[in-house]
Amino acid sequence: MEELLLEQSEGVLWLKLNRPQALNALTASLVDALTAAIEGAQRDPEVRVIVLTGEGRAFCAGADLKDSAKRGPDAGFAFVKAIGALTELMEACTKPVVAAINGIAVAGGLELVLACDLVFAAESSVLGDAHSNYALFPGGGATVRLPRKIGVNNAKHVMFSGESLPASEWKALGLVSRVVPNAGFIDAVAMSAKKLATKSPLVLARMKQALNDSIDQPAPIALRYERVLSNLHNFSADRAEGLAAFKEKRAPQFQGK
């Protein structure tokens, strides 16, 4: 059985973790498959949006602990390094990466969510860190990204307690973009992703870059950078197409140039 299912339609690439019997827990081969899929999507001009979700009742329960128990410290280090590289790739990808949380998302699963740009969660889904429950230390970016998303004190509570919280609480904390009723969840995510895929790939890539880079920059430097990108964008074909479409009262056809 394939650990990762790929489906592409109307500019949207769906990546579906397909280990439902193991709550889509991450193995080395699944991490490699995700990495290859995102690298391929980055190079493919037909892919404009990437959606990550899971088959069955879980989004991702983190690393497969049964698999981890078989590995020694050196192999464990390589596995954690691969997960870290995957989350960095997701964050740096110029295409929007959307998490569609269909169920349980804990530990490494939460770290995948933290690397996504938009987070949609089914009403019944739960998210948590859970590393502390088994004396494990995160390696996919939780200690760095979680406090930036929800604040240091909230991140400490989530990580120290190991508790899972419902999607509604994560929306209040600011991590989840939208909570969607279970009925029609995938359809709702698909509709939003398709709308996103009609936007200019160039402007979305530049917005993502500026937003990510601004977090660790003093405001005056970030503002100067924004103005440089804005001036550069004035010469883009997509901007000209957007203005022409507005003037002619038609749908724009963006090429990402």
Side-chain angles (χ1 to χ4, degrees):
M1 182 175 70
E2 293 290 333
E3 291 186 317
L4 182 67
L5 303 178
L6 281 68
E7 297 177 9
Q8 187 170 333
S9 175
E10 299 182 63
V12 180
L13 175 65
W14 286 78
L15 303 179
K16 298 183 179 182
L17 306 184
N18 190 38
R19 302 187 70 231
Q21 76 287 353
L23 301 182
N24 296 320
L26 298 171
T27 61
S29 56
L30 180 52
V31 171
D32 288 346
L34 277 167
T35 301
I38 293 172
E39 287 175 341
Q42 175 72 6
R43 296 189 297 267
D44 187 350
E46 297 300 315
V47 175
R48 296 196 171 187
V49 178
I50 300 167
V51 180
L52 180 62
T53 192
E55 290 287 302
R57 65 187 184 92
F59 173 80
C60 176
D64 189 324
L65 298 187
K66 292 181 180 178
D67 189 52
S68 298
K70 301 174 185 176
R71 295 191 295 263
D74 290 341
F77 173 76
F79 179 65
V80 169
K81 184 178 180 181
I83 293 177
L86 170 61
T87 58
E88 289 174 24
L89 175 66
M90 293 166 63
E91 201 167 50
C93 179
T94 58
K95 320 275 175 95
V97 182
V98 179
I101 304 174
N102 54 301
I104 300 165
V106 296
L110 178 64
E111 290 180 305
L112 292 179
V113 172
L114 289 169
C116 292
D117 302 303
L118 298 175
V119 180
F120 294 86
E123 198 170 28
S124 63
S125 62
V126 294
L127 298 83
D129 180 61
H131 282 101
S132 67
N133 296 338
Y134 302 99
L136 302 175
F137 193 85
T143 64
V144 177
R145 296 188 181 97
L146 189 59
R148 283 167 166 77
K149 300 274 188 176
I150 67 172
V152 174
N153 284 355
N154 287 327
K156 286 179 179 177
H157 172 70
V158 168
M159 297 191 74
F160 292 177
S161 71
E163 296 174 358
S164 293
L165 305 174
S168 58
E169 292 193 35
W170 284 96
K171 186 176 187 304
L173 289 171
L175 176 62
V176 170
S177 312
R178 182 179 165 196
V179 178
V180 182
N182 293 343
F185 171 65
I186 292 298
D187 289 341
V189 176
M191 184 179 298
S192 294
K194 287 176 184 177
K195 287 182 179 178
L196 196 58
T198 66
K199 308 290 185 182
S200 160
L202 182 64
V203 79
L204 292 182
R206 284 175 170 165
M207 284 179 174
K208 178 172 178 175
Q209 180 184 1
L211 286 163
N212 285 350
D213 290 348
S214 71
I215 294 172
D216 295 318
Q217 297 291 339
I221 293 175
L223 288 168
R224 285 199 295 271
Y225 180 56
E226 180 187 73
R227 285 191 289 271
V228 168
L229 279 180
S230 179
N231 183 59
L232 177 64
H233 194 72
N234 285 340
F235 297 92
S236 69
D238 274 5
R239 180 182 183 275
E241 168 62 10
L243 293 174
F246 176 80
K247 181 179 179 180
E248 297 164 14
K249 297 181 180 179
R250 60 173 175 80
Q253 300 296 318
F254 296 119
Q255 301 298 318
K257 301 176 181 178

